[in-house]
Amino acid sequence: MRLVIKGGRIIDPRNGLDTVGDLLVEDGVIAWCGQHLPDAMALDGDVVFDASGLIVAPGLIDMHVHLREPGFEYKETIESGGRAAAAGGFTAVVPMPNTNPATDNRAMVEFVARRARETSPVRVWPTVAATRGNENELMSEIADAKEAGAVAVTDDAFPLQSAELTRRVMEYCATFDLPLLTHCEDKTMTRGGVMNEGLVSTLMGLKGMPRAAEEIQVARNIRLAELTGCRLHILHISTARSIELVREAKRRGVSVTCETCPQYFTLTDESALGYDTMVKCSPPVRTAEDVDAVRAGLADGTIDAIATDHAPHAAHEKECEFQAAAFGMVGLETALGLVLTRLVHAGVIGLADAIRKMTVAPASILGIPGGHLSVQSPADITIIDPDERWTVDPEAFQSRARNTPFAGWELRGRAVATIVGGQIVHGDLVRAPRGRVRA
Protein backbone atom coordinates (compact mmCIF):
# COMPACT_ATOMS: atom_id res chain seq x y z
CA MET A 1 0.00 0.00 0.00
CA ARG A 2 1.22 3.49 -0.85
CA LEU A 3 0.18 6.04 1.72
CA VAL A 4 0.40 9.78 1.24
CA ILE A 5 0.20 11.84 4.43
CA LYS A 6 -0.64 15.23 3.06
CA GLY A 7 -0.50 18.75 4.41
CA GLY A 8 0.68 18.02 7.96
CA ARG A 9 3.27 19.95 9.92
CA ILE A 10 6.31 17.70 9.54
CA ILE A 11 8.77 17.99 12.42
CA ASP A 12 12.00 16.00 12.10
CA PRO A 13 14.60 17.40 14.52
CA ARG A 14 17.48 15.25 13.24
CA ASN A 15 17.10 16.58 9.71
CA GLY A 16 16.27 20.12 10.82
CA LEU A 17 12.84 19.91 9.20
CA ASP A 18 9.84 21.87 10.46
CA THR A 19 7.50 22.59 7.59
CA VAL A 20 4.02 21.98 6.29
CA GLY A 21 4.31 19.31 3.65
CA ASP A 22 3.75 15.78 2.42
CA LEU A 23 5.17 12.39 3.23
CA LEU A 24 4.95 9.29 1.01
CA VAL A 25 5.19 5.77 2.43
CA GLU A 26 5.91 2.98 -0.03
CA ASP A 27 6.85 -0.63 0.70
CA GLY A 28 7.36 0.13 4.38
CA VAL A 29 9.85 2.93 3.90
CA ILE A 30 9.65 6.69 3.53
CA ALA A 31 9.82 7.42 -0.19
CA TRP A 32 9.35 11.19 0.00
CA CYS A 33 9.32 13.83 2.71
CA GLY A 34 9.12 17.52 1.92
CA GLN A 35 6.97 20.55 1.20
CA HIS A 36 5.10 19.28 -1.85
CA LEU A 37 4.94 15.76 -3.22
CA PRO A 38 5.85 16.07 -6.92
CA ASP A 39 2.87 15.36 -9.20
CA ALA A 40 4.95 12.74 -11.01
CA MET A 41 5.25 10.71 -7.79
CA ALA A 42 1.50 10.56 -7.11
CA LEU A 43 -0.25 7.47 -8.45
CA ASP A 44 -3.86 6.49 -8.92
CA GLY A 45 -4.82 4.25 -6.02
CA ASP A 46 -2.66 5.97 -3.43
CA VAL A 47 -4.32 6.18 -0.03
CA VAL A 48 -4.27 9.87 0.83
CA PHE A 49 -4.68 11.13 4.37
CA ASP A 50 -5.24 14.82 4.90
CA ALA A 51 -3.11 15.69 7.94
CA SER A 52 -3.79 19.40 7.93
CA GLY A 53 -3.70 20.71 11.48
CA LEU A 54 -1.79 17.65 12.69
CA ILE A 55 1.86 17.00 13.49
CA VAL A 56 3.73 14.37 11.48
CA ALA A 57 6.70 13.25 13.59
CA PRO A 58 9.22 10.41 13.65
CA GLY A 59 7.93 7.45 15.61
CA LEU A 60 8.33 8.06 19.35
CA ILE A 61 10.89 5.88 21.16
CA ASP A 62 10.52 5.03 24.86
CA MET A 63 13.92 4.02 26.18
CA HIS A 64 12.69 2.87 29.61
CA VAL A 65 9.72 0.52 30.03
CA HIS A 66 8.81 -2.66 31.90
CA LEU A 67 7.02 -5.28 29.83
CA ARG A 68 7.10 -7.88 32.66
CA GLU A 69 7.52 -10.92 30.39
CA PRO A 70 8.71 -13.48 31.28
CA GLY A 71 7.66 -14.07 34.84
CA PHE A 72 5.08 -11.39 35.56
CA GLU A 73 2.59 -11.81 32.73
CA TYR A 74 -0.29 -11.10 35.10
CA LYS A 75 0.92 -7.47 35.13
CA GLU A 76 1.86 -7.03 31.46
CA THR A 77 3.11 -8.97 28.45
CA ILE A 78 5.25 -7.97 25.54
CA GLU A 79 2.08 -8.04 23.44
CA SER A 80 -0.09 -5.91 25.75
CA GLY A 81 2.79 -3.53 26.46
CA GLY A 82 3.32 -3.22 22.72
CA ARG A 83 -0.33 -2.34 22.21
CA ALA A 84 -0.11 0.26 24.97
CA ALA A 85 2.98 1.72 23.31
CA ALA A 86 1.25 1.96 19.95
CA ALA A 87 -1.77 3.65 21.56
CA GLY A 88 0.56 6.18 23.15
CA GLY A 89 2.30 6.99 19.87
CA PHE A 90 5.45 4.95 20.44
CA THR A 91 6.88 2.91 17.59
CA ALA A 92 9.73 1.41 19.64
CA VAL A 93 10.33 0.59 23.30
CA VAL A 94 13.29 -0.57 25.37
CA PRO A 95 12.30 -3.00 28.16
CA MET A 96 14.30 -3.28 31.36
CA PRO A 97 15.75 -6.70 32.20
CA ASN A 98 14.28 -7.23 35.69
CA THR A 99 12.10 -10.09 34.51
CA ASN A 100 11.87 -13.53 36.10
CA PRO A 101 14.22 -15.09 35.20
CA ALA A 102 16.27 -11.96 34.67
CA THR A 103 17.26 -11.01 31.16
CA ASP A 104 20.92 -11.54 31.92
CA ASN A 105 22.23 -13.81 29.14
CA ARG A 106 22.08 -14.54 25.43
CA ALA A 107 19.14 -16.96 25.66
CA MET A 108 16.97 -14.47 27.54
CA VAL A 109 17.81 -11.61 25.18
CA GLU A 110 16.91 -13.86 22.25
CA PHE A 111 13.65 -14.83 23.99
CA VAL A 112 12.58 -11.20 24.42
CA ALA A 113 13.45 -10.40 20.82
CA ARG A 114 11.60 -13.47 19.53
CA ARG A 115 8.47 -12.79 21.59
CA ALA A 116 8.52 -9.20 20.37
CA ARG A 117 8.68 -10.31 16.74
CA GLU A 118 5.81 -12.73 17.33
CA THR A 119 3.46 -10.53 19.33
CA SER A 120 4.35 -6.85 19.57
CA PRO A 121 2.97 -4.27 17.14
CA VAL A 122 5.95 -2.00 17.89
CA ARG A 123 9.70 -2.54 17.81
CA VAL A 124 11.29 -3.87 20.99
CA TRP A 125 14.99 -3.40 21.67
CA PRO A 126 16.16 -5.71 24.50
CA THR A 127 18.61 -4.78 27.23
CA VAL A 128 20.72 -7.02 29.45
CA ALA A 129 21.10 -6.90 33.22
CA ALA A 130 24.42 -5.65 34.55
CA THR A 131 24.70 -8.60 36.92
CA ARG A 132 23.50 -12.18 36.86
CA GLY A 133 20.05 -12.47 38.36
CA ASN A 134 20.18 -8.74 39.18
CA GLU A 135 22.00 -9.83 42.32
CA ASN A 136 24.81 -7.25 42.35
CA GLU A 137 27.52 -9.91 42.51
CA LEU A 138 28.66 -11.45 39.22
CA MET A 139 28.67 -9.59 35.93
CA SER A 140 26.43 -10.74 33.12
CA GLU A 141 27.89 -12.00 29.86
CA ILE A 142 27.82 -8.62 28.17
CA ALA A 143 29.55 -9.51 24.91
CA ASP A 144 27.26 -12.51 24.36
CA ALA A 145 24.20 -10.42 25.11
CA LYS A 146 25.24 -7.72 22.66
CA GLU A 147 25.75 -10.31 19.95
CA ALA A 148 22.21 -11.55 20.65
CA GLY A 149 20.77 -8.05 20.21
CA ALA A 150 21.00 -6.24 23.55
CA VAL A 151 21.35 -2.50 22.97
CA ALA A 152 22.32 -1.47 26.51
CA VAL A 153 23.40 -2.77 29.90
CA THR A 154 21.34 -1.68 32.89
CA ASP A 155 20.91 -2.27 36.61
CA ASP A 156 17.55 -0.41 36.66
CA ALA A 157 15.58 -1.49 39.75
CA PHE A 158 18.62 -3.19 41.28
CA PRO A 159 21.18 -0.35 41.39
CA LEU A 160 24.79 -1.39 41.59
CA GLN A 161 25.94 -0.71 45.14
CA SER A 162 29.62 -1.57 44.83
CA ALA A 163 31.78 1.09 43.20
CA GLU A 164 34.32 -1.57 42.22
CA LEU A 165 31.68 -3.72 40.49
CA THR A 166 30.26 -0.65 38.77
CA ARG A 167 33.74 0.20 37.50
CA ARG A 168 34.19 -3.30 36.03
CA VAL A 169 30.77 -3.22 34.38
CA MET A 170 31.60 0.17 32.89
CA GLU A 171 34.91 -1.12 31.56
CA TYR A 172 33.11 -3.94 29.75
CA CYS A 173 30.49 -1.53 28.44
CA ALA A 174 33.23 0.73 27.09
CA THR A 175 35.02 -2.23 25.51
CA PHE A 176 31.88 -3.40 23.74
CA ASP A 177 30.55 0.09 23.02
CA LEU A 178 27.32 -0.28 24.95
CA PRO A 179 25.78 2.44 27.15
CA LEU A 180 25.25 1.69 30.83
CA LEU A 181 21.81 2.81 32.04
CA THR A 182 21.86 3.34 35.80
CA HIS A 183 19.14 3.73 38.38
CA CYS A 184 21.00 5.87 40.92
CA GLU A 185 20.14 4.99 44.51
CA ASP A 186 22.27 4.24 47.54
CA LYS A 187 20.15 1.51 49.08
CA THR A 188 21.71 1.91 52.51
CA MET A 189 19.95 5.28 52.73
CA THR A 190 16.55 4.24 51.40
CA ARG A 191 15.93 0.93 53.15
CA GLY A 192 12.28 0.90 54.25
CA GLY A 193 11.58 4.23 52.55
CA VAL A 194 8.36 4.64 50.60
CA MET A 195 8.32 8.29 49.47
CA ASN A 196 10.43 11.42 49.29
CA GLU A 197 12.02 12.36 52.62
CA GLY A 198 10.79 15.74 53.79
CA LEU A 199 7.99 17.62 55.47
CA VAL A 200 5.27 15.64 53.70
CA SER A 201 6.70 12.24 54.68
CA THR A 202 6.92 13.51 58.26
CA LEU A 203 3.32 14.71 58.22
CA MET A 204 2.19 11.35 56.82
CA GLY A 205 4.29 9.37 59.27
CA LEU A 206 6.08 7.47 56.50
CA LYS A 207 9.76 6.66 56.13
CA GLY A 208 11.36 8.84 53.51
CA MET A 209 13.91 8.29 50.75
CA PRO A 210 16.38 11.21 50.84
CA ARG A 211 17.38 13.01 47.69
CA ALA A 212 21.00 12.49 48.68
CA ALA A 213 20.61 8.73 48.06
CA GLU A 214 20.17 9.50 44.37
CA GLU A 215 22.70 12.32 44.20
CA ILE A 216 25.53 10.31 45.78
CA GLN A 217 25.24 7.63 43.12
CA VAL A 218 24.89 10.16 40.30
CA ALA A 219 28.16 11.75 41.44
CA ARG A 220 29.89 8.38 41.85
CA ASN A 221 28.76 7.06 38.49
CA ILE A 222 29.83 10.22 36.70
CA ARG A 223 33.29 9.91 38.25
CA LEU A 224 33.51 6.27 37.22
CA ALA A 225 32.41 7.13 33.69
CA GLU A 226 35.28 9.61 33.55
CA LEU A 227 37.65 6.89 34.73
CA THR A 228 36.50 4.21 32.31
CA GLY A 229 35.27 6.10 29.24
CA CYS A 230 31.92 4.37 29.52
CA ARG A 231 28.85 5.99 27.97
CA LEU A 232 26.75 6.63 31.07
CA HIS A 233 23.01 7.27 30.92
CA ILE A 234 21.16 8.13 34.13
CA LEU A 235 17.63 6.79 34.30
CA HIS A 236 14.64 8.83 35.61
CA ILE A 237 16.58 11.72 37.15
CA SER A 238 14.48 13.43 39.83
CA THR A 239 16.37 15.93 42.02
CA ALA A 240 17.70 19.43 41.49
CA ARG A 241 21.19 18.50 42.69
CA SER A 242 21.36 15.42 40.44
CA ILE A 243 20.57 17.60 37.46
CA GLU A 244 23.23 20.10 38.47
CA LEU A 245 25.77 17.26 38.75
CA VAL A 246 24.97 16.18 35.18
CA ARG A 247 25.14 19.77 33.99
CA GLU A 248 28.61 20.19 35.54
CA ALA A 249 29.79 16.88 34.08
CA LYS A 250 28.65 17.80 30.59
CA ARG A 251 30.58 21.06 30.87
CA ARG A 252 33.71 18.98 31.58
CA GLY A 253 33.05 16.81 28.54
CA VAL A 254 32.05 13.64 30.40
CA SER A 255 30.08 11.17 28.30
CA VAL A 256 26.89 11.34 30.35
CA THR A 257 23.24 11.69 29.36
CA CYS A 258 20.05 11.49 31.36
CA GLU A 259 16.32 11.15 31.07
CA THR A 260 13.34 12.09 33.17
CA CYS A 261 9.71 10.92 33.18
CA PRO A 262 6.40 12.85 33.21
CA GLN A 263 5.79 12.24 36.92
CA TYR A 264 8.96 14.19 37.78
CA PHE A 265 7.88 17.36 35.95
CA THR A 266 4.22 16.97 36.93
CA LEU A 267 3.82 15.71 40.50
CA THR A 268 5.24 16.63 43.90
CA ASP A 269 5.32 14.62 47.13
CA GLU A 270 2.20 16.51 48.17
CA SER A 271 0.39 14.39 45.56
CA ALA A 272 0.76 11.49 48.01
CA LEU A 273 -1.26 13.24 50.71
CA GLY A 274 -4.26 11.01 51.27
CA TYR A 275 -1.96 8.00 50.89
CA ASP A 276 -2.61 7.61 47.17
CA THR A 277 -0.60 4.50 46.27
CA MET A 278 -0.78 5.38 42.56
CA VAL A 279 1.77 8.12 43.26
CA LYS A 280 4.27 5.71 44.84
CA CYS A 281 7.26 5.20 42.58
CA SER A 282 11.03 4.93 42.70
CA PRO A 283 12.70 7.34 42.72
CA PRO A 284 9.82 9.06 44.47
CA VAL A 285 8.24 12.23 43.20
CA ARG A 286 10.02 15.08 44.94
CA THR A 287 9.33 18.70 45.89
CA ALA A 288 8.23 21.74 43.91
CA GLU A 289 11.86 22.88 43.85
CA ASP A 290 12.86 19.64 42.15
CA VAL A 291 10.00 19.85 39.66
CA ASP A 292 11.18 23.34 38.70
CA ALA A 293 14.73 22.01 38.30
CA VAL A 294 13.55 19.15 36.07
CA ARG A 295 11.69 21.63 33.86
CA ALA A 296 14.77 23.87 33.72
CA GLY A 297 16.95 20.87 32.87
CA LEU A 298 14.64 19.94 30.03
CA ALA A 299 14.62 23.50 28.75
CA ASP A 300 18.39 24.01 28.74
CA GLY A 301 19.20 20.56 27.33
CA THR A 302 20.80 19.08 30.43
CA ILE A 303 18.08 16.42 30.38
CA ASP A 304 18.41 14.73 27.01
CA ALA A 305 15.40 12.44 26.82
CA ILE A 306 11.90 11.84 28.14
CA ALA A 307 10.99 8.24 28.96
CA THR A 308 8.07 6.73 30.87
CA ASP A 309 9.42 4.07 33.26
CA HIS A 310 6.13 2.34 32.39
CA ALA A 311 5.71 0.06 35.42
CA PRO A 312 2.48 -1.97 35.30
CA HIS A 313 1.14 -3.67 38.44
CA ALA A 314 -1.93 -5.74 39.24
CA ALA A 315 -4.75 -4.12 41.19
CA HIS A 316 -4.02 -6.03 44.39
CA GLU A 317 -0.43 -4.72 44.38
CA LYS A 318 -1.66 -1.12 44.56
CA GLU A 319 -4.95 -1.43 46.42
CA CYS A 320 -3.36 -1.83 49.84
CA GLU A 321 -1.69 0.30 52.52
CA PHE A 322 0.90 2.75 51.23
CA GLN A 323 3.86 1.02 52.86
CA ALA A 324 3.00 -2.31 51.24
CA ALA A 325 2.12 -1.03 47.77
CA ALA A 326 4.39 -1.72 44.81
CA PHE A 327 6.54 1.08 43.37
CA GLY A 328 5.72 2.39 39.93
CA MET A 329 3.02 3.63 37.56
CA VAL A 330 2.07 2.99 33.96
CA GLY A 331 3.00 5.69 31.49
CA LEU A 332 2.95 4.62 27.86
CA GLU A 333 -0.57 5.90 27.19
CA THR A 334 -0.32 9.20 29.09
CA ALA A 335 3.26 10.35 28.42
CA LEU A 336 2.71 12.27 25.20
CA GLY A 337 -0.38 14.02 26.57
CA LEU A 338 1.51 15.07 29.70
CA VAL A 339 4.50 16.28 27.69
CA LEU A 340 2.29 18.37 25.43
CA THR A 341 0.09 19.68 28.24
CA ARG A 342 2.67 20.34 30.95
CA LEU A 343 5.73 21.24 28.86
CA VAL A 344 4.80 22.39 25.35
CA HIS A 345 1.48 24.18 25.89
CA ALA A 346 2.85 25.53 29.18
CA GLY A 347 5.77 27.13 27.33
CA VAL A 348 8.54 25.18 29.10
CA ILE A 349 9.97 23.70 25.89
CA GLY A 350 9.06 23.94 22.21
CA LEU A 351 7.24 21.27 20.25
CA ALA A 352 10.30 20.37 18.19
CA ASP A 353 12.40 20.01 21.34
CA ALA A 354 9.79 17.75 22.92
CA ILE A 355 9.78 15.55 19.82
CA ARG A 356 13.60 15.52 19.83
CA LYS A 357 13.65 14.21 23.40
CA MET A 358 11.22 11.41 22.47
CA THR A 359 12.73 10.40 19.12
CA VAL A 360 16.24 11.15 17.96
CA ALA A 361 17.68 11.63 21.45
CA PRO A 362 16.90 8.12 22.74
CA ALA A 363 17.89 6.63 19.38
CA SER A 364 21.24 8.42 19.54
CA ILE A 365 21.93 7.49 23.18
CA LEU A 366 21.22 3.82 22.49
CA GLY A 367 22.70 3.69 18.99
CA ILE A 368 19.54 2.20 17.52
CA PRO A 369 17.83 2.98 14.20
CA GLY A 370 14.85 5.30 14.02
CA GLY A 371 13.99 8.69 15.39
CA HIS A 372 13.93 10.50 12.03
CA LEU A 373 12.05 10.75 8.74
CA SER A 374 14.89 10.39 6.27
CA VAL A 375 13.99 9.09 2.81
CA GLN A 376 14.58 5.33 2.51
CA SER A 377 14.41 4.86 6.28
CA PRO A 378 11.72 2.57 7.78
CA ALA A 379 8.37 4.32 7.91
CA ASP A 380 8.04 4.64 11.69
CA ILE A 381 5.78 7.66 12.11
CA THR A 382 3.61 9.21 14.81
CA ILE A 383 0.78 11.54 13.84
CA ILE A 384 -0.21 13.88 16.65
CA ASP A 385 -3.17 16.13 17.24
CA PRO A 386 -1.53 18.74 19.49
CA ASP A 387 -4.81 20.30 20.55
CA GLU A 388 -7.20 17.41 21.11
CA ARG A 389 -8.54 17.53 24.63
CA TRP A 390 -9.16 14.19 26.29
CA THR A 391 -9.61 12.73 29.74
CA VAL A 392 -7.41 9.93 31.05
CA ASP A 393 -9.57 6.82 31.54
CA PRO A 394 -7.54 3.85 32.84
CA GLU A 395 -10.33 1.46 31.84
CA ALA A 396 -9.61 2.36 28.22
CA PHE A 397 -5.90 1.50 28.47
CA GLN A 398 -4.42 -1.13 26.17
CA SER A 399 -2.04 -2.05 28.99
CA ARG A 400 -3.13 -4.83 31.31
CA ALA A 401 -2.53 -2.48 34.23
CA ARG A 402 -4.48 0.53 35.45
CA ASN A 403 -2.06 2.00 38.02
CA THR A 404 -1.89 5.66 37.11
CA PRO A 405 -2.17 8.77 39.28
CA PHE A 406 -3.47 10.69 36.26
CA ALA A 407 -6.95 9.12 36.07
CA GLY A 408 -9.51 11.81 35.35
CA TRP A 409 -6.94 14.39 34.30
CA GLU A 410 -7.81 16.42 31.23
CA LEU A 411 -4.87 16.55 28.83
CA ARG A 412 -4.36 18.49 25.61
CA GLY A 413 -2.73 16.59 22.74
CA ARG A 414 -2.41 12.92 21.86
CA ALA A 415 -1.26 10.52 19.17
CA VAL A 416 -4.01 9.86 16.65
CA ALA A 417 -2.08 7.36 14.53
CA THR A 418 1.05 5.24 14.91
CA ILE A 419 2.78 3.65 11.93
CA VAL A 420 5.55 1.02 12.21
CA GLY A 421 7.40 -0.04 9.08
CA GLY A 422 4.57 1.37 6.99
CA GLN A 423 1.89 -0.59 8.90
CA ILE A 424 -0.78 1.31 10.82
CA VAL A 425 -0.69 -0.14 14.34
CA HIS A 426 -2.88 2.47 16.02
CA GLY A 427 -5.60 4.70 14.58
CA ASP A 428 -7.31 4.22 11.26
CA LEU A 429 -6.04 6.56 8.57
CA VAL A 430 -7.82 4.82 5.74
CA ARG A 431 -11.36 5.12 7.02
CA ALA A 432 -10.91 8.31 9.00
CA PRO A 433 -12.82 11.43 8.18
CA ARG A 434 -10.81 14.14 6.54
CA GLY A 435 -7.99 15.39 8.64
CA ARG A 436 -8.83 13.54 11.83
CA VAL A 437 -8.68 10.03 13.20
CA ARG A 438 -9.69 8.67 16.55
CA ALA A 439 -7.92 6.04 18.58
Side-chain angles (χ1 to χ4, degrees), residues 30-307:
I30 296 170
W32 166 268
C33 182
Q35 286 191 331
H36 300 290
L37 182 70
D39 292 340
M41 295 186 73
L43 300 177
D44 289 342
D46 284 350
V47 174
V48 180
F49 174 66
D50 183 349
S52 55
L54 303 179
I55 306 299
V56 180
L60 306 183
I61 299 171
D62 190 344
M63 64 184 301
H64 184 177
V65 303
H66 298 271
L67 298 184
R68 306 300 195 197
E69 184 179 357
F72 304 102
E73 288 86 348
Y74 69 96
K75 299 173 189 260
E76 193 78 286
T77 64
I78 291 172
E79 179 182 10
S80 63
R83 288 200 309 269
F90 293 95
T91 59
V93 297
V94 180
M96 297 294 105
N98 52 329
T99 50
N100 185 22
T103 306
D104 62 358
N105 58 63
R106 170 188 284 269
M108 287 302 300
V109 171
E110 290 175 342
F111 170 82
V112 171
R114 184 174 65 254
R115 287 291 293 159
R117 286 194 301 272
E118 293 170 348
T119 67
S120 174
V122 305
R123 302 182 195 278
V124 175
W125 298 99
T127 58
V128 64
T131 59
R132 297 181 193 178
N134 292 312
E135 292 178 346
N136 264 252
E137 293 182 359
L138 300 173
M139 286 174 49
S140 299
E141 295 169 351
I142 291 173
D144 240 17
K146 178 179 180 180
E147 199 172 88
V151 299
V153 179
T154 177
D155 52 25
D156 190 46
F158 301 91
L160 296 170
Q161 298 301 292
S162 159
E164 175 62 14
L165 180 59
T166 306
R167 174 185 178 175
R168 298 308 172 198
V169 171
M170 284 190 178
E171 288 173 342
Y172 268 76
C173 287
T175 299
F176 296 102
D177 193 26
L178 285 170
L180 176 63
L181 321 181
T182 61
H183 168 127
C184 293
E185 177 185 347
D186 185 323
K187 293 288 231 182
T188 65
M189 300 182 71
T190 60
R191 193 169 294 119
V194 294
M195 65 176 298
N196 182 58
E197 181 181 278
L199 176 61
V200 177
S201 65
T202 302
L203 291 172
M204 293 176 67
L206 298 174
K207 183 171 173 54
M209 304 166 75
R211 287 178 281 188
E214 175 178 311
E215 294 154 359
I216 286 169
Q217 279 222 343
V218 169
R220 184 201 73 177
N221 290 348
I222 286 172
R223 181 66 190 95
L224 291 173
E226 287 183 281
L227 177 66
T228 62
C230 172
R231 287 190 286 131
L232 171 65
H233 177 77
I234 295 169
L235 298 164
H236 44 38
I237 202 162
S238 72
T239 84
R241 181 58 183 147
S242 292
I243 294 163
E244 186 54 35
L245 287 165
V246 172
R247 188 175 287 122
E248 292 168 355
K250 286 187 170 185
R251 287 194 193 113
R252 297 200 307 275
V254 181
S255 180
V256 57
T257 55
C258 67
E259 72 189 29
T260 195
C261 309
Q263 53 266 37
Y264 303 114
F265 58 74
T266 303
L267 303 174
T268 69
D269 52 1
E270 294 184 358
S271 306
L273 288 168
Y275 301 90
D276 182 1
T277 59
M278 297 301 176
V279 178
K280 184 178 177 182
C281 58
S282 179
V285 293
R286 306 288 186 179
T287 66
E289 176 191 354
D290 297 298
V291 169
D292 289 344
V294 169
R295 290 174 178 167
L298 286 163
D300 72 11
T302 302
I303 299 176
D304 306 86
I306 298 172

Side-chain angles (χ1 to χ4, degrees), residues 327-412:
F327 288 96
M329 62 184 72
V330 293
L332 282 167
E333 293 170 78
T334 53
L336 180 60
L338 288 164
V339 167
L340 293 171
T341 304
R342 292 305 185 102
L343 297 180
V344 176
H345 293 307
V348 177
I349 60 176
L351 182 56
D353 200 19
I355 291 172
R356 178 194 307 279
K357 293 177 190 299
M358 301 179 79
T359 58
V360 65
S364 175
I365 292 166
L366 296 167
I368 61 176
H372 57 88
L373 297 173
S374 302
V375 171
Q376 292 306 310
S377 65
D380 292 0
I381 302 163
T382 302
I383 300 177
I384 300 166
D385 184 335
D387 292 313
E388 181 179 336
R389 295 182 184 275
W390 60 287
T391 301
V392 177
D393 175 9
E395 295 306 315
F397 284 172
Q398 294 295 311
S399 170
R400 286 191 172 185
R402 304 286 180 264
N403 53 299
T404 175
F406 303 113
W409 282 39
E410 183 179 276
L411 302 179
R412 180 182 169 196

